[in-house]
Amino acid sequence: MKKHNFYAGPSILSEYTIQNTADAILNFAGTGLSVLEVSHRSKEFQAVIDEATALVKDLLDIPQGFEVLWLGGGASMQFCMIPYNLLAKKAAYLDTGTWASNAIKEARLFGDVEVVASSKDAGYTFIPKGFEVPADADYFHFTTNNTIYGTEMRVDPTVPCRMVADMSSDIFSRPIDFSNYDAIYAGAQKNLAPAGVTLVIVREEALGHVDRAIPTMLDYRTHIKKGSMFNTPPVLPIFSALQTLRYYKSLGGIEELERRDLEKAAMLYEAIDGSKMFTGTVTDPSDRSIMNVCFVMTPEYKELEKEFIDFCAGRGIVGIKGHRSVGGFRASLYNALPIESVKVLVEAMHDFETTH
Ligand SMILES: *Cc1c(COP(=O)(O)O)cnc(C)c1O
């Protein structure tokens, strides 16, 4: 049976990415060797990382002055690398979920952190608005898409200082205006590649303004100088990322990806809104994520949640259980998820509701 993969991360990759990765595991670029066993300094792998970097710049329309890095350590490593490199005195953070608060915790090790707003007391069911960011902050950090809670900021806030964003779960789903950013970062395992590599895009002139000593591996300048090859980079995830980036380019780039993502999300939210059995958990519809759709059963059907997950499994639907801290359901509609899978889920919701 065809599987419909709604996992939140690691998550669905395009067939193109998986097939080409499988092929390269057997024979990489005609070398007669597996991509698992070649030197990262081989000319064949250099070509991979160079093309992947160029495609990121091309797809996201990254202006001069920014560097694209491929690092290990996950997005969580960036929670400390960002303040290590960019926080001289004070930074402002927006608390919109678990990942945002993890980032805040790390930043506090490096200087003053002003949490400008938080929706924690409301279970992170909305994105705070009307907050004020101090103009003397070194940067304002926010999470564009809150993977666990299903909220998203698709429009950048207007703030009086440079911004840094964790875009782990919605990068490549919208255009980015880099003019106000010092850095963005994204763990690969949601919209790009298998787990193991993190994409970092950093403004070079934002570096070098902190007094502290930075360990070599945690200093962005190390990786800029060495083209992400100071030490062995995650070779296989970078190879897979290149496949995904080629696939994105062939589809028509960000504009087309966004169009598809909006269409998929609209279809599922419409089904939730039109149902008596299901209800969304995000309180302000304008905060709804188009990547992670969170919903629960209304109180009178609550005890059927487990049964619905089993019902879905019978139709090949995988990975819709909500995060353990939220419960209910979460359907992740990342770029690689075909609209057909959303149709199958919507149909399952409808059929389950009519039989109960
Ligand atoms: C998944 C996720 C993370 C954590 O990524 P790791 O690579 O596991 O460290 C951080 N931020 C967001 C928004 C995420 O979705």
Side-chain angles (χ1 to χ4, degrees):
M1 182 179 26
K2 181 171 165 38
K3 296 293 183 187
H4 303 282
N5 181 358
F6 290 93
Y7 275 125
S11 46
I12 188 166
L13 293 168
S14 73
E15 276 176 38
Y16 179 87
T17 301
I18 291 178
Q19 187 60 56
N20 287 348
T21 302
D23 290 348
I25 285 175
L26 297 174
N27 183 0
F28 168 50
T31 56
L33 300 172
S34 169
V35 68
L36 303 176
E37 57 179 1
V38 294
S39 168
H40 59 295
R41 309 216 180 265
S42 64
K43 70 175 189 323
E44 289 83 4
F45 184 70
Q46 187 66 54
V48 166
I49 198 166
D50 288 348
E51 186 184 343
T53 301
L55 272 172
V56 169
K57 288 183 177 166
D58 173 23
L59 284 164
L60 294 178
D61 202 11
I62 301 176
Q64 289 291 316
F66 284 86
E67 294 285 341
V68 173
L69 301 174
W70 303 91
L71 305 180
S76 300
M77 180 71 99
Q78 297 310 309
F79 298 162
C80 93
M81 280 180 80
I82 290 289
Y84 229 137
N85 287 267
L86 300 177
L87 203 176
K89 260 212 160 85
K90 175 161 109 178
Y93 277 68
L94 184 62
D95 180 22
T96 54
T98 306
W99 301 119
S101 73
N102 286 2
I104 290 164
K105 177 167 177 272
E106 295 301 290
R108 287 201 164 117
L109 299 172
F110 298 94
D112 283 350
V113 172
E114 185 171 331
V115 177
V116 295
S118 170
S119 48
K120 184 173 185 193
D121 291 345
Y124 294 123
T125 47
F126 66 94
I127 302 275
K129 322 246 166 13
F131 50 83
E132 257 179 62
V133 173
D136 62 346
D138 295 319
Y139 60 85
F140 167 65
H141 179 283
F142 67 112
T143 313
T144 48
N145 185 63
N146 299 281
T147 322
I148 295 174
Y149 304 95
T151 58
E152 187 175 18
M153 296 166 74
R154 296 195 66 74
V155 179
D156 286 340
T158 307
V159 296
C161 60
R162 286 271 173 73
M163 306 191 292
V164 174
D166 175 358
M167 297 198 180
S168 292
S169 52
D170 68 350
I171 193 163
F172 301 116
S173 78
R174 65 162 170 115
I176 303 167
D177 174 0
F178 280 87
S179 50
N180 285 329
Y181 280 99
D182 270 351
I184 72 159
Y185 58 92
Q189 67 272 26
K190 278 97 181 201
N191 243 348
L192 186 58
V197 71
T198 302
L199 179 64
V200 178
I201 302 163
V202 62
R203 185 191 294 270
E204 201 167 5
E205 66 164 34
L207 302 174
H209 304 304
V210 296
D211 290 335
R212 69 182 66 88
I214 306 174
T216 311
M217 274 294 286
L218 299 180
D219 190 332
Y220 291 125
R221 290 169 300 182
T222 303
H223 302 288
I224 291 173
K225 207 155 82 197
K226 298 289 183 179
S228 301
M229 295 269 213
F230 170 73
N231 68 325
T232 318
V235 170
L236 186 72
I238 294 171
F239 178 86
S240 294
L242 171 60
Q243 308 314 310
T244 301
L245 294 162
R246 283 180 178 168
Y247 174 69
Y248 287 172
K249 178 84 181 163
S250 77
L251 289 180
I254 299 298
E255 206 176 303
E256 174 61 13
L257 291 167
E258 183 175 39
R259 190 194 65 74
R260 290 174 182 222
D261 291 334
L262 288 167
E263 189 182 3
K264 285 185 288 182
M267 182 183 288
L268 184 49
Y269 282 119
E270 199 182 299
I272 293 167
D273 290 344
S275 148
K276 283 211 229 2
M277 180 177 263
F278 301 97
T279 182
T281 55
V282 176
T283 47
D284 181 346
S286 71
D287 294 338
R288 285 171 157 183
S289 169
I290 66 167
M291 292 279 114
N292 311 96
V293 177
C294 292
F295 56 108
V296 293
M297 274 178 174
T298 51
E300 57 172 320
Y301 297 102
K302 200 80 191 163
E303 75 284 1
L304 293 175
E305 286 191 348
K306 168 82 177 67
E307 194 180 328
F308 179 63
I309 289 186
D310 295 340
F311 180 82
C312 284
R315 296 187 175 198
I317 294 166
V318 178
I320 58 158
K321 198 167 185 299
H323 188 272
R324 59 190 184 282
S325 61
V326 180
F329 314 104
R330 170 176 52 175
S332 297
L333 315 180
Y334 296 124
N335 289 354
L337 186 87
I339 195 160
E340 289 67 33
S341 292
V342 183
K343 286 183 186 149
V344 170
L345 175 59
V346 165
E347 230 170 70
M349 291 164 67
H350 176 262
D351 293 352
F352 189 80
E353 185 164 346
T354 22
T355 53
H356 286 81

